[in-house]
Amino acid sequence: MAGRIVVKAGDITREEVDAIVNAANESLLGGGGVDGAIHRAAGPGLLQECRRLGGCPTGEARTTAGYALPARYVIHTVGPVWRGGGAGEAELLARCYQRSLEEAEAHGVRTMAFPAISTGAYGYPLAEAAEIAVRTVARHLANGSPIEEVRLVCFSETARRIFAEALARHCGER
Ligand code: AR6
């Protein structure tokens, strides 16, 4: 049976899963938003390990330990900056989800949580981002992944509603 997708509101740093995904930037040296929250909650070991990675291109993903987080791993991915939709943003955002799922599998992850990548400082419209998140994760799980549960963790009730609607639409289309 394919793994399940759960949409919820909350702070991703509190999620008790094997891996949480970080919406990082290409430097992987921390920042604001969810990236800042993850580094604060994980403690200084995370930044030390990130320094050794030497950055990450947009659309790619890199894995570190979770340090003081409940999650064993942090998968750092770099979403696209929204430039109006004509600059390959949709493909790059889908690639972030896909590559993060692949990294998770390579580390034996069974449960994981994603934030709404690119929808904060990078300006990606929530509804479009939610469609891409749901479609990419659902396709991957349907293709025989060992991942049992993927949580899409939204930081506001508005974002949670938009992601839940995207998931309901996707389930209705199957
Ligand atoms: N838990 C879950 N979601 C959160 C949390 C949290 N603790 N905090 C914020 N969000 P953003 P981006 C949501 O800006 O758009 C950073 O400085 C937030 O409401 O964190 O990919 C990086 O270093 C939004 O829906 O990431 C990069 O420079 C979503 O997480 C840049 O921002 C993503 O917002 C990346 O921008």
Side-chain angles (χ1 to χ4, degrees), residues 5 131 134-135 138 164-174:
I5 303 177
E131 288 289 342
V134 166
R135 195 188 328 126
E165 283 167 6
L167 181 59
R169 245 192 324 276
H170 182 86
C171 294
E173 282 165 10
R174 276 189 304 184

Side-chain angles (χ1 to χ4, degrees), residues 10-13 22-25 30-38 79-80 115-124 126 153-156 159:
D11 175 356
I12 200 168
T13 65
N22 182 17
N25 58 64
V34 72
D35 194 5
I38 288 173
I117 300 163
S118 282
T119 65
Y122 283 180
Y124 211 109
L126 267 172
V153 180
C154 301
F155 206 44
S156 68

